[in-house]
Amino acid sequence: MIRAEHITKSFDGRTVLDDISVEFRTGCTNLIIGRSGSGKTVLLKTLVGLHEPDSGAVWYDDRNFTALGFRERKAIRKDIGMIFQGGALLDSSTVEENIKLPLDLFTDQPEAEKRERVDFCLHRVRLEKANRLYPAELSGGMIKRVAIARAIVLNPRYLFCDEPNSGLDPQTSIVIDNLIHEITQEYHITTIINTHDMNSVMEIGEQIVYIHEGRKGWEGTKEEILHAENKALNDFVFASAMAKRAREW
Amino acid sequence: MLRIFELIGRYFILMGKVFSRPEKAVIYRRRILYEMEAIGLDSVGLTAIISIFIGAVITLQMCINLESPFVPESMIGYATRETMILEFSSTVVALILSGKVGSSIASEIGTMRITEQIDALEIMGVNSASYLILPKIVAAVCFFPLLTILSIGIGIVGGYLIAVATDIMIPSNYVDGILVDFKSYSIVYSLIKSAVFAYIITSVSAFFGYYAKGNSLEVGRASTRAVVVGSVVIMIFNLILTQLLLI
């Protein structure tokens, strides 16, 4: 479980997150949704410690992450996997080296065992035989899969995904969404996905938090979101022509 | 003025992170070897080409400007050797490498910053500053003195070759000149300078890349700033080191 308590964050005097409190449950896919510029990414980065909140606290189970020092945070970070919007694979390393890096740095496993683990993770994301390729040789969907493989290589307890299907076609998006959902349930981890893709919301959104202008605008499930009485949320959810027609039906 | 102090402060904070205890020595060894190839070996060709031509040009200039019955011809070889050892092979090569290596480091790390690769390392619990920058500094500090030795040797050979090729002076006089009054401390001085300059080039350019923000335009600007600031700092330290080590 990850809990944000009264998180506030400003940049150059501009408040980006305003008193956000939310709890993300273990074993289900928690979605943070909202318009571009609403503060979703800042919230996600604050949760993982890339941004320090001006006030408030982030709890990982019973540990107050915000109050911890570098060394204590490092211990928690080994339990964190993160998938960035652009994949954030190291350009100068092959797929195998990218996935193996956390193993190299934080385990004393023999090389053969590490390779086996890399192959397992690649198999898990259905991307066999890509070990020797460089990120520049991969398609958008493949990059996301490698990023997922790297994120799960150390068996994380917490998985963060920043717009995991941005820039992907609808079919590949569904594949990536389902993969994250499967992994979440298989390993019973706390997964937080940052997205503005309504397909993702309807496919895998078990708990949804809507962020509007830096504040928590709404919270609920994918079944509840279609009937929510929140104008800003409705404008967001039913923005596309297809969603409007679906609502009319 | 305040901005300069802020930059200097941030630079030293970054260096504090860079020189903190590495996660795993074996990973760093591998990265140092990789960086030695990227920063050092890949600069051998450029250093050699520039040095041979500069050695030849210095010899030609000396021949033209020291043409006097009171100045022995061997002085041309001596002057070429001293110029190469004392100034060219450490300082000028460092300035040239500041352009090549410095811009490459700043743009590499800057791109990693804006594409969130550095964030990805931080999330993994890796000290990204140390992981990315320390191997570059170690590789450059170890390899640049070798480039300096290479440059001195090739520059002196360049002077000899131009003497042979143009008959502007008697080659044996040139050889006599390069053997006159040799002080091994000059080499030590040159190597110390090149090691210091290597540190300046890598750390300054890494600093500008590490704190790059925004988009590819900003990476380009960070790269330019890295070269400009690196070159100015090299010149300042050239003055300081000359004062400290030679006078």
Side-chain angles (χ1 to χ4, degrees):
Chain A
M1 177 269 293
I2 295 173
R3 197 169 72 246
E5 278 179 356
H6 305 290
I7 296 289
T8 301
K9 178 73 185 168
S10 304
F11 291 102
D12 300 324
R14 195 173 67 88
T15 303
V16 180
L17 298 179
D18 189 3
D19 195 29
I20 290 187
S21 295
V22 59
E23 189 172 309
F24 301 101
R25 296 201 313 264
T26 304
C28 73
T29 41
N30 302 273
L31 266 58
I32 302 172
I33 60 168
R35 294 165 62 175
S36 300
S38 59
K40 302 187 302 287
T41 300
V42 175
L43 176 60
L44 199 75
K45 289 190 172 180
T46 307
L47 292 174
V48 295
L50 286 173
H51 293 318
E52 292 301 319
D54 296 338
S55 63
V58 177
W59 291 77
Y60 280 70
D61 296 316
D62 54 352
R63 296 169 290 185
N64 183 349
F65 187 73
T66 316
L68 298 177
F70 178 77
R71 281 185 191 284
E72 292 91 356
R73 280 190 183 194
K74 201 172 160 182
I76 294 181
R77 283 199 162 132
K78 284 173 195 164
D79 288 332
I80 294 176
M82 182 153 179
I83 301 153
F84 285 86
Q85 200 170 345
L89 303 179
L90 302 181
D91 291 331
S92 57
S93 304
T94 61
V95 164
E96 181 171 297
E97 287 162 351
N98 264 290
I99 300 171
K100 198 156 70 69
L101 181 65
L103 296 171
D104 285 338
L105 286 164
F106 302 120
T107 72
D108 292 315
Q109 292 174 8
E111 202 58 29
E113 221 170 281
K114 287 183 207 164
R115 290 233 164 87
E116 206 175 294
R117 178 70 187 155
V118 170
D119 287 340
F120 170 78
C121 291
L122 281 173
H123 174 72
R124 187 68 196 77
V125 298
R126 292 159 214 141
L127 200 67
E128 293 91 350
K129 294 176 185 165
N131 302 48
R132 306 242 168 269
L133 297 176
Y134 281 89
E137 298 170 293
L138 304 175
S139 68
M142 288 164 89
I143 285 175
K144 293 288 164 68
R145 287 187 211 199
V146 176
I148 295 172
R150 183 176 66 180
I152 63 170
V153 75
L154 284 178
N155 284 322
R157 292 170 60 191
Y158 316 101
L159 183 65
F160 294 86
C161 314
D162 187 13
E163 304 200 10
N165 41 24
S166 70
L168 301 179
D169 65 82
Q171 277 183 317
T172 313
S173 293
I174 291 168
V175 170
I176 297 292
D177 281 343
N178 288 335
L179 196 54
I180 294 170
H181 188 56
E182 280 169 32
I183 288 166
T184 302
Q185 297 200 320
E186 196 176 320
Y187 300 109
H188 196 65
I189 55 183
T190 309
T191 298
I192 302 174
I193 303 171
N194 195 351
T195 187
H196 47 61
D197 182 359
M198 283 311 295
N199 284 330
S200 299
V201 173
M202 298 322 290
E203 282 281 335
I204 59 166
E206 290 172 288
Q207 188 204 352
I208 302 156
V209 178
Y210 173 64
I211 304 292
H212 181 65
E213 292 175 355
R215 289 172 161 266
K216 188 170 85 174
W218 180 86
E219 192 175 359
T221 64
K222 66 180 174 188
E223 288 79 23
E224 292 165 348
I225 200 168
L226 297 174
H227 312 289
E229 289 178 8
N230 180 316
K231 190 183 177 311
L233 176 66
N234 287 339
D235 288 348
F236 173 77
V237 171
F238 299 105
S240 74
M242 193 184 285
K244 275 179 195 153
R245 273 182 208 163
R247 192 187 201 186
E248 283 159 16
W249 290 338
Chain B
M1 199 63 188
L2 210 63
R3 171 130 176 85
I4 291 174
F5 284 121
E6 187 199 328
L7 273 180
I8 293 171
R10 285 173 76 192
Y11 170 83
F12 282 109
I13 289 169
L14 179 67
M15 287 303 113
K17 279 177 78 182
V18 168
F19 290 103
S20 57
R21 205 166 66 88
E23 265 94 13
K24 227 173 179 184
V26 66
I27 304 287
Y28 279 71
R29 270 204 298 276
R30 240 182 276 156
R31 284 192 52 77
I32 288 168
L33 290 176
Y34 170 81
E35 295 297 349
M36 274 191 175
E37 187 190 342
I39 294 172
L41 278 179
D42 285 358
S43 302
V44 166
L46 178 67
T47 307
I49 289 169
I50 290 167
S51 301
I52 200 160
F53 281 103
I54 290 290
V57 169
I58 290 171
T59 304
L60 280 178
Q61 295 272 22
M62 292 293 167
C63 286
I64 295 161
N65 294 301
L66 286 184
E67 204 172 16
S68 162
F70 301 107
V71 180
E73 208 177 44
S74 61
M75 283 308 289
I76 293 164
Y78 172 80
T80 303
R81 184 199 75 200
E82 289 299 291
T83 310
M84 291 304 296
I85 293 175
L86 293 174
E87 215 47 47
F88 178 79
S89 295
S90 50
T91 312
V92 181
V93 166
L95 286 173
I96 292 161
L97 291 181
S98 165
K100 179 187 177 286
V101 176
S103 63
S104 151
I105 290 174
S107 53
E108 178 192 333
I109 295 180
T111 304
M112 291 184 80
R113 166 63 74 194
I114 65 162
T115 55
E116 298 181 312
Q117 293 176 47
I118 291 179
D119 287 346
L121 288 171
E122 291 285 335
I123 293 293
M124 285 180 215
V126 179
N127 176 350
S128 62
S130 176
Y131 179 77
L132 294 173
I133 302 172
L134 187 60
K136 291 183 195 302
I137 292 178
V138 173
V141 168
C142 292
F143 211 94
F144 275 29
L146 299 178
L147 288 177
T148 299
I149 298 282
L150 180 82
S151 167
I152 292 169
I154 291 179
I156 290 171
V157 169
Y160 179 78
L161 291 178
I162 202 72
V164 171
T166 60
D167 273 342
I168 198 165
M169 69 176 288
I170 300 162
S172 61
N173 284 345
Y174 179 85
V175 175
D176 288 344
I178 61 173
L179 297 175
V180 166
D181 194 25
F182 175 72
K183 295 186 196 83
S184 56
Y185 182 71
S186 299
I187 298 281
V188 174
Y189 159 76
S190 186
L191 295 182
I192 291 172
K193 279 210 303 185
S194 64
V196 172
F197 296 159
Y199 172 77
I200 291 169
I201 291 169
T202 44
S203 63
V204 168
S205 52
F207 167 75
F208 281 102
Y210 196 81
Y211 289 114
K213 278 182 192 167
N215 51 25
S216 55
L217 279 177
E218 284 304 314
V219 174
R221 282 191 196 117
S223 180
T224 308
R225 272 199 295 270
V227 175
V228 172
V229 174
S231 302
V232 172
V233 175
I234 284 172
M235 294 320 294
I236 293 168
F237 272 81
N238 188 30
L239 189 71
I240 294 169
L241 289 172
T242 305
Q243 174 75 29
L244 285 176
L245 298 172
L246 282 189
I247 297 168

